Every structure is written in structure tokens, then in C-alpha cells.
Amino acid sequence: MSRIYEALQKAESERKLERREPEPQESSYIAPVPTTAAVAVADEEYISHAPIVTESYVEPSYARQTNSDSLDLSKVVTRPWALSSTQTPALLERGPAVEQFRSLRSRIFELRDISPLKTILITSGLPQEGKSFVSTNLAMSLARHKNSKVLLIDGDMRRYSLHQILGCESHPGLADYLAGKATLVEAMQRPEPFEKMTPGAASIQQNLTFIAGGNGGDKAADLSGSPRFEELIRLASPHFDWIIVDSSPVLPVSDAVNLARSCDGVLLVARGGVTKFPVAQRAQSELKASNILGFVLNAVEEVPNVGGYYGYYNAKH
């Protein structure tokens, strides 16, 4: 993970050197380092695109569950999912993207050998850096490994999008559970079996359980700070090998910091060629009270030169 951090520093240094060139070409474009004001504009844009809920937030009253056996996963409903290999390359049998997520999975297993690790929150500094893509595909990669049971939670209750990647319904979801409008089992869903399932899709059908975001709107900050999320983790933990939580970006709103308190570790996502070093630094600083596992560098244009290897692999198999 530290190599990615060093890569971000190196890229930022190179951008600074480019800015010192005396006579830049007219066609060249050097992206400005985001200032505090620029980040504030991105924050406002993120919040303004969130669904609007006009109801005032009232702390829900609910009976605290104390028996973990009360979570009966046999009652989780199955629903039709429309999985796309474009959005979910982790379902493929081979290819560079598959190998990158397998490598990420291996690094996470290494970290678990050092200290207990089951619940991982994934976030980024700003929107559009790929955290939802990484969350979904990491969950699928884990679900395909040794039949691990995985719970994927869309914790971005302002701009929830994981249901779009999976092609399924978004309600009831996490916001409904945290508001006391749905039970934990009611908020969960699994994919229905479908014809011509690939081996990867079959593994997902058996091992992946999903909680959509629901619509938290302007109540999302209050909901993310609810003790009911900690209870969700406590109830679900005995039934799953991994719990992956996709959250809001950490700089515009406080939701990710709230949810991270109930998680074992945090992965930060940076987008190649987009995320600036100061933004990555600020995101890391906002989560300094959490166990930051490292950065995932997403959407890198120069992929590893593995084409020849895969050509050889395909020829032999």
C-alpha cells in the first residue's frame, strides 16, 4: 500500500515540475492542484445531488436485539439481478482486471494474518474516484474465494449506486433499517438463480448477500451516526466471513467517518490521473482515528504489461 502512496507523491512532484516549464505548449493541459475552495465546490455539488427528504430526523425507537441467532438468513429474499461484466470484471475467469482484484484480495488476507480483520469500509476523498466499483468487485472476488460468505453494504445513503452496478432493487435498504422501518433480514437480498450462469456468477449467487443504500437523503448524517449500524455489524458478523461497506466520500460529508467507527479497517481509493496528492492527504487525515489499511489506485491508464502472458495462458488452456 505504501508504494501507491509513494506513487501519488511522485505523480504530484512531476505535475509541479511541469508547471515550472517556461513556455508550455498551447495544446497541453496541466490540471491545477485543488485548493480548499475547489474542494468546497465539489463538496457542495455532491450534497446538492443527494435525494431530498423533507421529513425531520427523529431518533427511531426500536427494541435492541441481543441474540445473534435471531438473524435467520434463510428468510433473506432472492431477487433478480442483472450482472454486467463491464461493471463487474471480478466475475470473469481471467484477465488483467481479475488479477488486480485477486492481488488486492491477497493483500487483505495478509493484513488479516497480522490482526483481526472482517469489516472493511471503502471510501475516497471526493466523488467519482471509483470507490463503489472497487467495493463491488472486491466483495465478488472475496465471495469467489473458498466459498467465503460476504455481506456487501451500500453505506452511501445520499447517492447510493451499488444497486445500479448489480442491476437490482434499491429498497428496502440500509437507510430503512437504520430508521427502524425495516428489519435486518428485510433489508438484505440475494440474487435469483438464472440460466447460463458462469462459474463466477454461480459463486456470487451462493455466497454474496447485499444491503442496498435506501434513501437517507439529508438524514444520512444522523442515520450514519446511529448505534443501530454498530448493532447491524454485531448481528451480521457471526454469519459472514467478510463485510464490505461502501460509503460516501470522506471530504464532503461526515458519514464515512461515522460508519468507520464500527469497522475493523478502511481502504481509501484514489483515481489515477485525477486524485491530487493534497486530496489524498486530507482524506487520510479525516480518518486518522480509524485503522487505515492503505490506498487502492483505480483507473490507471498504463496497465501492467501482461498481454503476452495472457496470450500464452489462453494458448495453453
Side-chain angles (χ1 to χ4, degrees), residues 66-269:
T66 56
N67 184 359
S68 61
D69 293 333
S70 62
L71 182 60
D72 185 357
L73 295 184
S74 66
K75 296 181 180 178
V76 175
V77 299
T78 59
R79 296 177 178 173
W81 290 15
L83 298 171
S84 166
S85 60
T86 303
Q87 292 289 320
T88 56
L91 287 177
L92 300 174
E93 293 305 306
R94 59 177 66 92
V98 178
E99 293 304 322
Q100 291 303 309
F101 279 106
R102 286 173 179 167
S103 296
L104 177 59
R105 182 180 67 193
S106 297
R107 300 300 297 273
I108 290 174
F109 272 98
E110 290 174 3
L111 292 173
R112 192 171 68 169
D113 290 339
I114 300 173
S115 61
L117 182 63
K118 173 178 287 189
T119 307
I120 301 174
L121 181 133
I122 298 179
T123 186
S124 58
L126 295 173
Q128 307 297 320
E129 293 183 305
K131 61 179 183 52
S132 298
F133 173 79
V134 172
S135 301
T136 305
N137 284 280
L138 175 60
M140 291 183 171
S141 183
L142 289 168
R144 295 187 63 178
H145 184 68
K146 297 181 179 179
N147 289 322
S148 297
K149 302 297 182 185
V150 180
L151 173 62
L152 173 64
I153 302 174
D154 191 343
D156 188 346
M157 294 174 282
R158 300 171 189 262
R159 298 178 68 177
Y160 45 99
S161 62
L162 294 195
H163 69 285
Q164 295 174 339
I165 297 177
L166 299 176
C168 62
E169 295 290 332
S170 62
H171 293 86
L174 179 63
D176 302 289
Y177 170 75
L178 295 179
K181 298 178 180 178
T183 66
L184 184 51
V185 168
E186 289 172 343
M188 292 177 169
Q189 60 175 292
R190 289 173 173 161
E192 291 180 348
F194 53 91
E195 294 183 356
K196 299 180 181 180
M197 293 180 69
T198 63
S203 299
I204 299 304
Q205 193 271 328
Q206 295 174 356
N207 299 323
L208 183 63
T209 302
F210 175 54
I211 297 179
N215 186 359
D218 53 3
K219 298 185 299 182
D222 297 311
L223 293 173
S224 64
S226 168
R228 200 162 162 84
F229 182 73
E230 182 179 356
E231 182 176 275
L232 184 159
I233 300 298
R234 182 179 60 80
L235 290 171
S237 286
H239 302 274
F240 294 95
D241 298 296
W242 295 97
I243 300 176
I244 305 299
V245 183
D246 178 48
S247 78
S248 307
V250 70
L251 295 183
V253 291
S254 62
D255 306 3
V257 175
N258 293 336
L259 297 179
R261 295 191 186 102
S262 302
C263 298
D264 300 324
V266 176
L267 273 179
L268 280 160
V269 176

